[in-house]
Amino acid sequence: MTTKLAKTALRNISRNKRRSILSGTAIGVSAMAIVFLFSIIGGMTEDMAFNLKTYYTGEVRIRNIDYDKYERYNPLHLTVDWESVKDLLVDIEDIDKFVPRISFPANLYIEGSNFGAMGVGANFSLEAGFQDLDGSLKSGRLPEKGKNEMIMGAVLARDLKLNIGDKVTVMSTTAARGTNAITLKIVGLFSFPVGALNSKYFWLPLDRAQYFLRMNGGVQEVLIKVKEGVDPKKAAASISSVITNNTGKTLDIRSWEELSTSYGLMKMADMIYNFIAMFFFLLGSTVIINTTMMVIFERMREIGTLGAMGMHGKELVRLFFFEGTFISMIGAAVGVATGIAITLYVGKVGLDFTDAISGMDFEVSSILYPKLSIGKTIFVYFYSVIIAAGATLIPSKKAAKIEPVEALRYV
Amino acid sequence: MINVKDVERNYQTGETVVKALRGVNLDIGKGEFMSIAGPSGSGKTTLLNLIGCIDKMDAGEISIKDEAVSKMKKKEKTNFRRKYLGFIFQTYNLIPVLTAYENVAFVLSLLNVNEKEIELRTMAILKEVGLEGMEHRRPGKLSGGQQQRVAIARALIKNPEIVLADEPTANLDSNTGKEILELMKRMNKKHQTTFIFSTHDQMVMDYADRLVILHDGQIVSDEKR
């Protein structure tokens, strides 16, 4: 019987093609939008993870135990002893790469005016293995160790009307809480994927930063990348015990997921979008509910006839439920396929958010590439079909309650 | 086989109560070919619907095959109709997306008959009603007379005890109507199926072996021929 009902339901879809197309389109558009939305969130999450690991925290970050507590005061005196730590890190098997960094707020003194910026002292030879520095360098070259040179974010340079070869005096508070200044020559312009890094930052050799900031060979932080398959959280714990056992000092060693609040928010957003998806599908389902109601009124006599022939209410529910399910299945399939096609295209060309997020300190790249997740896409398909098909139960149950005599009288 | 006792049926139209049936009593035996006639609003369709277990009465009792159908619950009534009753409608009421074959076979599917038997029985009944070779046509591709033949085949496929036909010839020209009546008469004789019609068509009345005339919800004449 179920097969017969399914067959009849499938044929019923073609009775009013325009209406079936309308219902299917509502589900399809919802499915397409959600596939694309999930792809954007997926792309954004992956992009943020990459940026955090590469530019902000590494997969594991080592800092002085008190640094975060006093971070708002720029406590450069709370350092990590780079020389002793690096020797220990080399021997830890879980670690793939590590780099020392010093980030500090600075004023750039240009023609009598001060402009706020962020400086980063880095070991460029180690950084080359940690990130694609050559790829990020738009023009010029990297600064050389021991030389008063810097590379500057291309957007910052443009805003300040600076170019390669120009000299800039940088002022900042030192680890000794005094004020110091250093004049650096711009030798290159960089463009990282994250807009904020390009519009606020300049990078200089680590040794010059240590000298300028009076850090006595210390560094503000060490960023670590672990080997593939190693859990950063577990790695952080083992690094911590190695350092404590060997130096007797306790450092603040945490994984990137523990450190980033925005990544946690992004993960939460991913969950929230599941509810938004449900809302979209319910909205799309209202069209199916509406058209099924219309279909029921149109086929009232038929319902009466089937009832008179001995068809039970449950079987009538199944008949209309199958119709709604088939329309949803077709609509969702077309919608998901369109969503995949759009995602694949946009995933190639990218979505340019440069203007939208300029000035925002957000660890997401200016150009976003949606990332298609097979699992999520399959989930969207079944999710949309289940919600839309479920929605057809509402009018279908109404059809089941109609008395045959009433239905046969219906004009 | 069918016993209608003191049956009353009222309809509420706004504040007015219309008495469609006022204490109708009727006994119908197995294999009768009977017509219920009367002017519009006399209560003939209401009586047919009550015997067909698709309407509820306000008073009285109807029993079919010694079962008090008037006391049955909705589900029981549906099962009863499924097993014992066949319906023929004035407007044929075929399912437009199904072929003639499928419209007829659908009834047996409801009874969970196996596919092989469905095919044998459906083909046989379609041949019997003169629709051989038209099995794969959908209702839209059949004439009115042919559609009513499909409806008759659909009503008879499960070998019901009773077939209820509401104005079966009203939408047909007189020649086709005559053919349909002859077909039903033949089926009545062959299968001993009880046929009950509601009609105001004189030709249908003439074909009936028994004519019951209703007027204002009461039987005014019951004539066996």
Side-chain angles (χ1 to χ4, degrees):
Chain A
M1 190 59 213
T2 305
T3 321
K4 285 263 168 134
L5 288 176
K7 202 172 163 185
T8 311
L10 201 59
R11 289 205 200 153
N12 276 339
I13 292 173
S14 62
R15 278 168 87 162
N16 192 326
K17 284 190 187 114
R18 237 187 268 176
R19 195 174 302 149
S20 300
I21 289 169
L22 178 71
S23 302
T25 305
I27 298 301
V29 169
S30 308
M32 179 194 74
I34 295 298
V35 165
F36 189 57
L37 202 67
F38 275 145
S39 303
I40 289 179
I41 293 290
M44 209 182 252
T45 310
E46 200 177 284
D47 176 74
M48 183 183 259
F50 173 81
N51 291 337
L52 283 167
K53 290 178 200 174
T54 309
Y55 305 112
Y56 291 91
T57 61
E59 285 178 293
V60 175
R61 188 191 70 186
I62 303 176
R63 271 187 179 178
N64 185 294
I65 191 75
D66 292 321
Y67 191 92
D68 278 12
K69 193 173 163 188
Y70 300 106
E71 189 169 10
R72 63 185 182 280
Y73 303 121
N74 184 30
L76 287 174
H77 61 290
L78 299 173
T79 56
V80 173
D81 183 358
W82 167 240
E83 291 303 324
S84 62
V85 164
K86 80 174 177 191
D87 292 338
L88 295 170
L89 295 180
V90 168
D91 294 331
I92 297 174
E93 208 174 298
D94 287 348
I95 293 175
D96 186 24
K97 287 159 192 144
F98 57 93
V99 288
R101 281 188 197 164
I102 302 166
S103 298
F104 58 97
N107 273 325
L108 305 182
Y109 181 76
I110 301 162
E111 292 174 0
S113 298
N114 282 318
F115 299 92
M118 285 295 292
V120 179
N123 181 324
F124 289 103
S125 54
L126 288 178
E127 288 287 346
F130 199 81
Q131 59 168 302
D132 182 19
L133 260 184
D134 288 334
S136 302
L137 202 63
K138 270 184 78 178
S139 54
R141 59 169 175 85
L142 293 173
E144 287 175 21
K145 187 179 174 186
K147 288 189 176 174
N148 289 349
E149 294 175 343
M150 69 150 90
I151 50 172
M152 184 176 267
V155 176
L156 180 63
R158 185 199 66 197
D159 291 349
L160 299 176
K161 296 184 177 66
L162 295 170
N163 218 325
I164 293 172
D166 290 341
K167 286 185 175 176
V168 182
T169 299
V170 177
M171 290 186 291
S172 186
T173 307
T174 66
R177 312 311 294 167
T179 304
N180 201 4
I182 189 169
T183 299
L184 303 168
K185 184 182 174 186
I186 301 171
V187 294
L189 299 176
F190 63 80
S191 177
F192 290 130
V194 185
L197 295 179
N198 302 328
S199 59
K200 285 183 185 171
Y201 283 75
F202 65 93
W203 292 49
L204 67 158
L206 182 73
D207 62 321
R208 300 316 295 152
Q210 286 171 321
Y211 164 76
F212 163 52
L213 299 167
R214 304 285 185 257
M215 292 185 71
N216 295 325
V219 295
Q220 181 201 35
E221 58 191 11
V222 179
L223 309 189
I224 297 165
K225 275 190 181 171
V226 295
K227 283 183 179 158
E228 215 174 307
V230 175
D231 176 16
K233 211 170 175 179
K234 283 181 184 164
S238 69
I239 293 164
S240 183
S241 70
V242 168
I243 290 176
T244 308
N245 291 342
N246 285 279
T247 63
K249 284 181 186 169
T250 307
L251 294 173
D252 177 15
I253 304 173
R254 282 183 282 168
S255 70
W256 66 283
E257 278 181 302
E258 293 171 287
L259 289 164
S260 172
T261 47
S262 38
Y263 186 75
L265 286 173
M266 194 60 84
K267 284 287 204 190
M268 199 188 288
D270 196 34
M271 279 165 63
I272 290 167
Y273 273 102
N274 286 327
F275 289 101
I276 292 175
M278 187 168 75
F279 181 72
F280 261 71
F281 294 138
L282 284 175
L283 212 62
S285 300
T286 56
V287 179
I288 279 209
I289 293 173
N290 200 17
T291 49
T292 309
M293 287 296 284
M294 287 165 77
V295 162
I296 286 167
F297 283 113
E298 264 176 23
R299 295 192 208 148
M300 197 59 98
R301 274 177 167 268
E302 202 172 304
I303 291 168
T305 308
L306 292 168
M309 279 159 57
M311 192 183 235
H312 284 288
K314 274 183 192 172
E315 288 158 335
L316 271 171
V317 169
R318 255 190 285 165
L319 180 67
F320 287 104
F321 174 74
F322 281 143
E323 271 188 57
T325 306
F326 291 143
I327 291 174
S328 313
M329 282 166 77
I330 297 165
V334 174
V336 165
T338 315
I340 291 172
I342 293 173
T343 304
L344 291 177
Y345 173 72
V346 180
K348 269 187 187 171
V349 298
L351 284 170
D352 195 344
F353 287 111
T354 309
D355 293 331
I357 61 170
S358 70
M360 281 167 69
D361 204 0
F362 193 44
E363 301 93 340
V364 171
S365 303
S366 311
I367 297 174
L368 204 68
Y369 297 91
K371 179 106 176 36
L372 195 71
S373 154
I374 303 286
K376 281 262 179 193
T377 307
I378 294 169
F379 167 75
V380 168
Y381 177 75
F382 286 106
Y383 197 30
S384 58
V385 170
I386 288 167
I387 291 180
T392 58
L393 282 175
I394 300 164
S396 305
K397 283 192 170 175
K398 189 180 162 58
K401 284 181 186 161
I402 300 167
E403 291 291 338
V405 70
E406 302 289 336
L408 286 166
R409 267 193 220 129
Y410 192 85
V411 182
Chain B
M1 188 171 68
I2 302 168
N3 180 251
V4 179
K5 197 177 168 189
D6 301 327
V7 166
E8 288 182 16
R9 179 70 171 112
N10 304 323
Y11 293 109
Q12 187 92 29
T13 315
E15 287 185 6
T16 318
V17 176
V18 179
K19 295 191 175 221
L21 292 176
R22 310 165 185 230
V24 172
N25 288 288
L26 195 63
D27 279 312
I28 304 164
K30 185 171 168 60
E32 281 198 38
F33 197 73
M34 145 185 190
S35 180
I36 302 167
S40 290
S42 60
K44 49 190 191 302
T45 300
T46 304
L47 182 57
L48 209 66
N49 288 341
L50 288 171
I51 295 171
C53 307
I54 56 172
D55 201 0
K56 287 174 195 164
M57 65 196 74
D58 295 300
E61 205 176 294
I62 295 177
S63 59
I64 303 172
K65 286 170 67 67
D66 296 326
E67 285 193 62
V69 291
S70 47
K71 288 177 185 165
M72 283 180 182
K73 289 182 179 160
K74 190 180 175 183
K75 198 177 172 184
E76 289 170 324
K77 276 188 183 174
T78 308
N79 283 333
F80 191 84
R81 288 198 302 270
R82 187 184 278 215
K83 271 191 198 166
Y84 302 114
L85 305 181
F87 288 85
I88 298 167
F89 303 96
Q90 180 183 339
T91 47
Y92 331 123
N93 293 13
L94 300 175
I95 299 170
V97 289
L98 301 182
T99 62
Y101 175 91
E102 288 164 337
N103 262 289
V104 177
F106 196 83
V107 179
L108 293 183
S109 305
L110 284 173
L111 292 164
N112 288 322
V113 176
N114 70 62
E115 280 300 320
K116 203 171 176 186
E117 196 184 334
I118 288 177
E119 193 183 340
L120 283 171
R121 283 169 66 178
T122 307
M123 292 309 286
I125 196 91
L126 284 172
K127 189 179 175 186
E128 217 171 330
V129 299
L131 288 174
E132 203 178 14
M134 297 183 190
E135 309 87 30
H136 302 298
R137 290 197 196 172
R138 289 195 182 183
K141 299 279 177 191
L142 296 170
S143 68
Q146 287 167 335
Q147 286 189 57
Q148 197 59 300
R149 282 167 191 268
V150 177
I152 292 167
R154 181 176 68 179
L156 290 170
I157 183 85
K158 61 186 173 187
N159 298 324
E161 302 271 344
I162 303 153
V163 170
L164 300 149
D166 188 13
E167 309 269 8
T169 56
N171 276 19
L172 304 172
D173 61 67
S174 57
N175 282 337
T176 315
K178 198 175 167 189
E179 280 173 28
I180 291 296
L181 283 166
E182 275 170 4
L183 171 66
M184 288 196 280
K185 184 90 180 173
R186 211 165 56 236
M187 295 293 168
N188 164 253
K189 295 275 178 241
K190 188 176 175 186
H191 302 287
Q192 277 300 296
T193 309
T194 306
F195 274 79
I196 308 168
F197 308 93
S198 78
T199 188
H200 12 34
D201 183 347
Q202 189 56 50
M203 188 168 62
V204 178
M205 293 181 223
D206 293 343
Y207 263 86
D209 295 336
R210 182 179 172 189
L211 178 64
V212 171
I213 297 177
L214 280 174
H215 195 270
D216 287 340
Q218 287 178 316
I219 294 175
V220 292
S221 158
D222 186 352
E223 177 196 343
K224 285 195 179 177
R225 288 133 170 217

